[in-house]
Amino acid sequence: MFSVLSDESYKLHHYFKTFSYSKKLVLAAIFSALAAILQSTGNFLPGFGYLISPFATLPILICTIISIPFGLQSYVLTFFLLTLIQPSESFVFLFTTGIVGLGIGIALLILKIRIYIIVFTSVLLMSGICFLLYIVHFPVLGPIASTSLSLKVMGFIYIFSFAYSWVWVELIRFIFKKWYKLMGENR
């Protein structure tokens, strides 16, 4: 838990540094469109789409590994695309799915230690959910939690955020290891 994550994210970051600005910009645009499509599947495919929409985190995370400024650009572009495609999903993305991708990507490049990455991302996610739930009064959790402030609910939100962030960190570690190994075989 207190170990340093593997070097694949840094190796991929350095690999992407060799790309031209134009190539990075095109990748950010493609990943933004993919994130917008994935995020909006919850409304286009009710039921099954809600299982797909959390994967909108991945394109933002990959863009952030390319470079933090491109991750931020992709995050903002995805928000604007969702505002056009699915306005109701744009704020959900901005404060939940997207912030997790951005947070993990930044934390992978800066913090390096697994527990710090998970805690940083879980605090971002909890803050986003609580902002939507208690400030905006948007029922992001549906009927599970009311929009009136409750410390008990906030505790459960943090536990969920921590577990969700942990799963994403382990998943991305696995994906990056496979991706880097595949790149090494193709060089």
Side-chain angles (χ1 to χ4, degrees), residues 111-125:
L111 298 177
K112 302 177 186 177
I113 296 176
R114 177 182 285 128
I115 190 69
Y116 297 159
I117 295 167
I118 295 168
V119 168
F120 174 73
T121 308
S122 62
V123 167
L124 282 176
L125 180 57

Side-chain angles (χ1 to χ4, degrees), residues 10-181:
Y10 304 106
K11 292 175 184 174
L12 288 171
H13 176 70
H14 290 294
Y15 171 73
F16 285 125
K17 277 186 175 181
T18 63
F19 285 23
S20 68
Y21 183 82
S22 304
K23 200 172 190 179
K24 290 178 189 176
L25 200 57
V26 169
L27 281 173
I30 290 170
F31 282 127
S32 297
L34 180 60
I37 291 167
L38 289 170
Q39 182 69 34
S40 59
T41 58
N43 287 337
F44 290 132
L45 302 170
F48 179 69
Y50 291 114
L51 297 174
I52 297 171
S53 66
F55 289 101
T57 296
L58 188 60
I60 303 302
L61 202 153
I62 292 171
C63 281
T64 308
I65 292 298
I66 291 172
S67 87
I68 292 173
F70 279 100
L72 289 167
Q73 288 174 1
S74 180
Y75 177 70
V76 171
L77 179 58
T78 303
F79 170 72
F80 287 133
L81 288 171
L82 282 167
T83 302
L84 296 173
I85 299 170
Q86 285 289 337
S88 63
E89 287 293 316
S90 61
F91 282 104
V92 173
F93 171 80
L94 196 61
F95 293 104
T96 59
T97 320
I99 202 75
V100 170
L102 199 59
I104 292 175
I106 291 170
L108 277 171
L109 295 174
I110 296 172
L111 298 177
K112 302 177 186 177
I113 296 176
R114 177 182 285 128
I115 190 69
Y116 297 159
I117 295 167
I118 295 168
V119 168
F120 174 73
T121 308
S122 62
V123 167
L124 282 176
L125 180 57
M126 184 190 97
S127 300
I129 292 172
C130 288
F131 177 80
L132 287 174
L133 201 58
Y134 300 127
I135 307 296
V136 180
H137 297 288
F138 183 82
V140 69
L141 299 176
I144 295 172
S146 73
T147 56
S148 56
L149 187 62
S150 167
L151 291 177
K152 183 179 176 183
V153 172
M154 286 179 70
F156 285 123
I157 291 171
Y158 183 74
I159 291 168
F160 165 78
S161 299
F162 188 88
Y164 187 82
S165 299
W166 192 353
V167 167
W168 263 109
V169 166
E170 295 304 322
L171 179 65
I172 205 62
R173 187 177 134 240
F174 174 78
I175 290 170
F176 282 177
K177 276 187 175 188
K178 295 294 182 186
W179 188 2
Y180 190 75
K181 185 177 178 183

